[in-house]
Amino acid sequence: MSLFLVLGVFRMNNIGKKYFDLEYMDILARGRSPLHRLDPRAKLMTTLLFIITVVSFGKYTLLALIPFLMYPVFLVSAGGLPAGYFMKKILTVLPFVLLMGIFNPVIDRTIVARVGAVDISGGWVSFLSILLRFFLTASSALLLIALTGFNAVCGALTNLGVPKPFIVQLMFFYRYLFVLGDEAHGMDRARALRSSPAGMVRTKTFFSMTGHLLLRTFERAERIYRAMNCRGFDGRVPMLQPGRMSVRDFGFMAGWSFLFFAFRVYNVPLTLGEWLWGSLR
Amino acid sequence: MHMADALISPAVGATLWAASAGLIGYSSRKFKEEADDRKVPLMGVLAAFIFTVQMINFSIPATGSSGHLGGGMILAILLGPFSAFLAVASVLVVQALFFGDGGLLALGCNIFNLGFFPCFVAYPFVYRKIVRNHLTHGKIVAGSLAAAVIGLQLGAFGVVLETLFSGITELPFVTFVLLMQPIHLAIGIVEGLVTAAVVLFVFQARPEILYAVTRVEPIGAANMRTVLAGLLVATLISGGALSWFASSHPDGLEWAMLQTSGKEELESPLGLHASLESWQEKTAFLPDYGFKEAGVNVASEPLSGPSWPAVDAGTSVSGLMGGALTLLMTVCIGWGLRWRERTAA
């Protein structure tokens, strides 16, 4: 164990923040806008179609992707969601994409366009395209959960044929995430109160805490299992079947699918720009 | 090392979705066959444990970088491969949906990289081969360390291959491999040590959990063969069909449009130019297209005006203007909807 002692220090200060984040998404999902009331299947399918359409563009597509911003903007506005919160959330996962894409401008220096005296290389276009794609795909996935809630998405997945054991696992995991999070948060608070205010966790402390958290986890699992048995658990988890999809749900799906198709086929910004440029000259 | 939607092509995303979905189906069937109700809450709670521990970023000394636990190996050792695979997949689903870590299309890639390699390669072929059925301290440490390192190396290589086949980034293969593998070797060693420590702790405190997993039949060679054959078929079908579709439909179509419009343009000097230009400009910002446009623009020079000695000045400017206009419209629609929402509430 002495080897671990020299490995370094561990940081354990973002547990509370991250769990607050999870809870906040759940609170948002309890909203009452017309978008919240749509069938989860309709929202899930539309979001998947959106993502597939966005990534189906070539790597140098930039302009034609802009109209797709309409979907996340519509979801945020009509769903009454806090736009700034989602922007911040997306920015926290940006670094990996940034790291992977930043080589494009360095390597690909072919000039593809010129505005005034400024040359624009293919690398910059594809890099900006990656950033725009990232923003579109990441925001749509987050907004799906914020408008639907995790359990409803799980229900939609069951209807779409995802195997039951996996759904049960997803729901159990999500349910006990909060329970275990509270436990870990409490442990961390107790540790913080008894140690220096720096907020760093020493390696030895980290292992001891992790070990005890694991033991509590096992005990919790056994208690849950006994409680489930007392209530007649026989290995099956019954789930509520969602009703039929209404005309509104189909309308939402069909309307957006049509728009995605239109944006995929026609380069809307370019057509607009040509018209504007033409009338200005 | 979560793959993001923005970095993969639909063909790669769909292929790995098919592979991961197949593995989830297979693991679910195996889980049902095991018929151990006790595992239902244990899997859920252990996944929650891994999720919690993953939030603890540890710094790797002397490198200035930090890593977090994949946890796939711990789950495989404590739950067995099939249940562990389902648990890892569930963690990744929540990360994708709630934190935008990875993405929905890239979920297949992430489940494959972080679930398949530790659960179905490193666990049966490394950890179990080292530990066998005799649990000792030394064997547990050696097995966990080797399995975690190998699992993570394979996962990192998976990321490299997926990025390469998608072709969205310009990263050259060799540079990317040389970048990814050593970093993940360091992370793998740390992760292996943490895995070993956690497993040893369980071995001391609750040995029956580890013995219960070893009693369950390990994945036999025949079993793995079915899985791999299924995966191969799924990959070939979806990859083949989708890449054909992807290459012949959007890109191929655009290429064809480019070719035909380019030729027609040269034949008819000015009259049809305006209407054909709109076709041609649908593929604006394509690099090899820029050169073609330069040739064409000589003919249409008087049209675009002498003040723009540009490669395709008209396209660029109208493109910028159009882009700005579309953005403005989007923002206006958003504000309008929000205003309606507020006044209705």
Side-chain angles (χ1 to χ4, degrees), chain A residues 7 10-11 14 19 59 63 76-78 81 89 96 103-104 112 169 180 211 214 217 222 264 269-270 273-274, chain B residues 2 43 45 49 52 55-56 58 61 90 98 170-171 201-202 206 250 281 287 303 318-319 322 334 338 341:
Chain A
L7 270 177
F10 290 76
R11 201 174 297 155
N14 54 359
Y19 274 98
K59 67 190 273 196
L63 271 184
V76 163
S77 316
L81 299 172
K89 228 170 146 64
F96 178 70
F103 292 94
N104 284 16
V112 292
Q169 159 64 17
L180 216 67
L214 190 60
T217 306
E222 272 154 32
R264 180 67 185 86
L270 199 65
E274 272 167 16
Chain B
H2 284 45
M43 278 162 66
V45 179
F49 166 78
T52 313
M55 288 175 202
I56 309 166
F58 50 81
S90 68
F98 282 85
E170 295 286 342
L171 284 166
F201 184 85
V202 175
R206 303 288 299 273
E281 277 167 358
L303 233 158
S318 55
R338 174 138 289 205
E341 183 75 13

Side-chain angles (χ1 to χ4, degrees), chain A residues 69-92:
Chain A
L69 283 169
M70 227 161 269
Y71 184 61
V73 166
F74 172 78
L75 293 184
V76 163
S77 316
L81 299 172
Y85 168 74
F86 286 98
M87 288 297 249
K88 247 186 263 165
K89 228 170 146 64
I90 290 170
L91 282 182
T92 55

Side-chain angles (χ1 to χ4, degrees), chain A:
Chain A
M1 287 294 276
S2 60
L3 186 60
F4 302 131
L5 292 176
V6 293
L7 270 177
V9 281
F10 290 76
R11 201 174 297 155
M12 202 176 182
N13 49 9
N14 54 359
I15 291 182
K17 211 177 117 225
K18 208 142 186 180
Y19 274 98
F20 174 74
D21 222 25
L22 274 174
E23 275 181 44
Y24 188 59
M25 289 286 267
D26 236 26
I27 292 167
L28 288 179
R30 276 179 237 144
R32 311 182 104 198
S33 76
L35 281 182
H36 283 88
R37 286 197 293 270
L38 280 178
D39 191 287
R41 283 166 290 184
K43 285 182 269 187
L44 181 67
M45 297 300 282
T46 312
T47 304
L48 286 178
L49 187 71
F50 173 78
I51 293 174
I52 291 169
T53 317
V54 166
V55 299
S56 75
F57 279 100
K59 67 190 273 196
Y60 294 103
T61 310
L62 189 57
L63 271 184
L65 279 171
I66 295 176
F68 285 89
L69 283 169
M70 227 161 269
Y71 184 61
V73 166
F74 172 78
L75 293 184
V76 163
S77 316
L81 299 172
Y85 168 74
F86 286 98
M87 288 297 249
K88 247 186 263 165
K89 228 170 146 64
I90 290 170
L91 282 182
T92 55
V93 274
L94 183 65
F96 178 70
V97 177
L98 216 54
L99 190 77
M100 299 280 279
I102 199 68
F103 292 94
N104 284 16
V106 179
I107 297 168
D108 181 1
R109 288 163 180 276
T110 324
I111 304 297
V112 292
R114 186 178 295 164
V115 179
V118 186
D119 286 338
I120 301 167
S121 72
W124 278 109
V125 174
S126 61
F127 174 60
L128 289 177
S129 172
I130 287 177
L131 290 188
L132 189 55
R133 269 159 216 264
F134 166 72
F135 179 79
L136 289 170
T137 51
S139 63
S140 64
L142 292 174
L143 291 169
L144 169 72
I145 279 293
L147 287 172
T148 315
F150 189 66
N151 286 341
V153 170
C154 284
L157 288 175
T158 321
N159 282 97
L160 296 173
V162 175
K164 193 91 177 287
F166 184 55
I167 298 292
V168 170
Q169 159 64 17
L170 274 173
M171 294 177 90
F172 258 96
F173 165 55
Y174 187 66
R175 181 77 190 76
Y176 290 102
L177 208 53
F178 294 99
V179 178
L180 216 67
D182 277 348
E183 214 135 306
H185 193 42
M187 272 173 113
D188 190 44
R189 202 185 296 132
R191 179 203 59 80
L193 287 171
R194 287 162 181 80
S195 57
S196 71
M200 300 295 263
V201 185
R202 288 188 49 174
T203 321
K204 200 179 166 191
T205 320
F206 167 74
F207 278 113
S208 149
M209 280 174 71
T210 310
H212 282 279
L213 189 64
L214 190 60
L215 285 188
R216 288 189 196 187
T217 306
F218 287 139
E219 273 156 26
R220 175 78 63 169
E222 272 154 32
R223 284 214 304 278
I224 296 164
Y225 180 67
R226 280 203 293 273
M228 281 163 66
N229 269 343
C230 289
R231 288 159 179 80
F233 178 61
D234 60 351
R236 286 176 299 154
V237 177
M239 261 185 274
L240 202 64
Q241 288 295 314
R244 287 168 155 267
M245 296 213 332
S246 68
V247 180
R248 278 168 75 105
D249 302 323
F250 279 114
F252 177 81
M253 253 168 84
W256 279 108
S257 304
F258 173 75
L259 276 181
F260 298 157
F261 179 74
F263 293 159
R264 180 67 185 86
V265 178
Y266 295 101
N267 191 334
V268 178
L270 199 65
T271 316
L272 269 176
E274 272 167 16
W275 169 76
L276 201 67
W277 182 235
S279 55
L280 280 180
R281 273 192 305 175

Side-chain angles (χ1 to χ4, degrees), chain B residues 71-283:
Chain B
M73 220 41 240
I74 294 181
L75 287 174
I77 293 169
L78 296 181
L79 290 170
F82 304 111
S83 312
F85 186 76
L86 293 180
V88 173
S90 68
V91 173
L92 290 168
V93 167
V94 168
Q95 282 177 337
L97 286 174
F98 282 85
F99 300 105
D101 228 352
L104 290 188
L105 187 68
L107 196 55
C109 297
N110 288 323
I111 292 177
F112 199 82
N113 297 342
L114 298 168
F116 173 77
F117 291 122
C119 298
F120 293 117
V121 180
Y123 175 75
F125 297 113
V126 181
Y127 178 82
R128 285 302 285 262
K129 290 279 182 267
I130 292 174
V131 174
R132 295 190 184 275
N133 283 340
H134 313 287
L135 290 166
T136 61
H137 279 62
K139 278 184 175 176
I140 288 176
V141 173
S144 310
L145 188 62
V149 167
I150 290 171
L152 207 63
Q153 284 294 306
L154 289 172
F157 195 60
V159 171
V160 173
L161 286 185
E162 286 149 19
T163 313
L164 191 77
F165 283 122
S166 297
I168 305 284
T169 60
E170 295 286 342
L171 284 166
F173 176 71
V174 179
T175 319
F176 198 24
V177 166
L178 290 178
L179 207 74
M180 287 290 277
Q181 304 306 125
I183 293 175
H184 285 91
L185 181 67
I187 298 175
I189 290 170
V190 177
E191 179 163 341
L193 291 173
V194 177
T195 305
V198 171
V199 177
L200 275 182
F201 184 85
V202 175
F203 184 52
Q204 276 163 352
R206 303 288 299 273
E208 76 277 8
I209 290 175
L210 285 182
Y211 283 115
V213 182
T214 34
R215 267 202 303 278
V216 177
E217 197 152 329
I219 315 175
N223 238 334
M224 258 333 263
R225 221 172 287 149
T226 348
V227 173
L228 289 175
L231 270 180
L232 193 71
V233 171
T235 311
L236 283 179
I237 292 174
S238 54
L242 276 155
S243 57
W244 172 78
F245 177 77
S247 64
S248 72
H249 191 59
D251 304 311
L253 188 73
E254 278 164 12
W255 181 81
M257 271 157 61
L258 185 96
Q259 292 298 310
T260 42
S261 60
K263 265 181 210 150
E264 279 174 339
E265 186 124 35
L266 288 174
E267 280 161 15
S268 53
L270 278 173
L272 271 169
H273 180 79
S275 61
L276 283 169
E277 200 179 42
S278 70
W279 269 109
Q280 203 175 28
E281 277 167 358
K282 277 192 184 122
T283 50

